[in-house]
Amino acid sequence: MTAARTPPPAAPAAPAAPAAPAAGGPRPGLRERKKTKTRTAIREATYGLIREQGYDATTIEQIAARAEVSPSTVLRYFPAKEDIVLTDEYAPILLTELRARPAGEPWLDSLRHAFRTGIALGASEDPEATRLRTRLMVEVPAVRTRMTENMSGTGRLLCQVIGERTGRAPDAFEVRVAAMSLVGALTETTLYWAEHGHEDDLGVLVDRALDVLDQGLAQGKP
């Protein structure tokens, strides 16, 4: 049985949304910059503590102390410790990249471009944090459970983008199946990468996953 394919357009593709501001565009406001700085401090504190003493031994109080914020501030930004590990800044970037692609571009090509951009960004900014996060997804049951719970939210965001590109309603059956097929494929790609010690090229694995979604399983191959 072949994997689910991205549905063909049911109507002329909607115009692509404007791209995010360029590097030289308007900067975020002071309030948003402060929020970003706080989120980053909390994440860095969490990663440092986990590296030193492990995930289970790391508490919200310890994270708050190292990030120099209150425990209530940590929980205001991240409702649970698992969310600190799982939440990053890349999902909005990926959605912006998808919306910025040419309206007539094949959907698979748009996906490859967006995911390559996200992978390159993660590799250039903090590759060790990315490896730690994905390792925790494999090793810590609570993190994997939370990841599964969050998949529906990611799927809903993708439904919006797919709906815009295909002229379908975001809650249409085919759109929902396509979005969650993609979320599942990327989740399994990430887990496979971590389970195999991050030895493979993540970009190559993502390309292989997209090929499976597009073409199904090739006959006669292991």
Side-chain angles (χ1 to χ4, degrees):
M1 182 175 66
T2 60
R5 299 170 184 263
T6 303
R27 295 183 62 195
L30 177 60
R31 184 177 182 183
E32 188 57 40
R33 293 201 302 274
K34 290 178 67 175
K35 287 182 177 180
T36 299
K37 183 177 180 180
T38 300
R39 281 195 298 268
T40 300
I42 292 170
R43 277 202 210 95
E44 290 178 349
T46 303
Y47 295 152
L49 287 164
I50 291 173
R51 288 189 183 101
E52 293 169 14
Q53 61 190 29
Y55 180 85
D56 290 334
T58 298
T59 67
I60 293 295
E61 290 73 20
Q62 290 173 333
I63 294 168
R66 180 165 294 193
E68 298 183 341
V69 297
S70 67
S72 63
T73 296
V74 173
L75 295 174
R76 186 166 67 249
Y77 280 84
F78 302 98
K81 185 171 68 171
E82 293 77 23
D83 292 319
I84 306 175
V85 173
L86 293 172
T87 306
D88 59 37
E89 306 295 338
Y90 302 139
I93 293 172
L94 291 175
L95 294 174
T96 298
E97 288 288 332
L98 284 173
R99 285 191 165 105
R101 301 305 297 166
E105 182 176 61
W107 175 241
L108 195 65
D109 292 345
S110 296
L111 288 173
R112 291 188 197 281
H113 171 85
F115 291 125
R116 285 169 182 161
T117 299
I119 290 169
L121 184 62
S124 64
E125 290 194 348
D126 196 348
E128 288 306 315
T130 299
R131 292 187 179 91
L132 175 61
R133 291 174 63 242
T134 56
R135 180 171 59 80
L136 293 173
M137 292 176 191
V138 171
E139 297 177 355
V140 181
V143 173
R144 188 181 289 216
T145 298
R146 190 68 167 181
M147 176 183 67
T148 303
E149 294 171 352
N150 291 347
M151 285 171 64
S152 61
T154 304
R156 284 194 296 272
L157 294 174
L158 276 171
C159 282
Q160 293 289 335
V161 178
I162 293 174
E164 292 166 10
R165 285 290 296 269
T166 64
R168 299 175 187 259
D171 62 348
F173 173 76
E174 290 83 0
V175 172
R176 291 170 63 175
V177 171
M180 292 311 296
S181 296
L182 180 59
V183 171
L186 294 175
T187 299
E188 288 304 315
T189 299
T190 301
L191 294 175
Y192 180 94
W193 184 53
E195 288 166 358
H196 290 76
H198 305 104
E199 294 179 356
D200 295 277
D201 184 306
L202 182 57
V204 171
L205 290 178
V206 169
D207 276 340
R208 288 172 60 188
L210 293 176
D211 286 342
V212 172
L213 287 179
D214 184 53
Q215 303 167 14
L217 292 174
Q219 295 296 324
K221 290 189 177 182

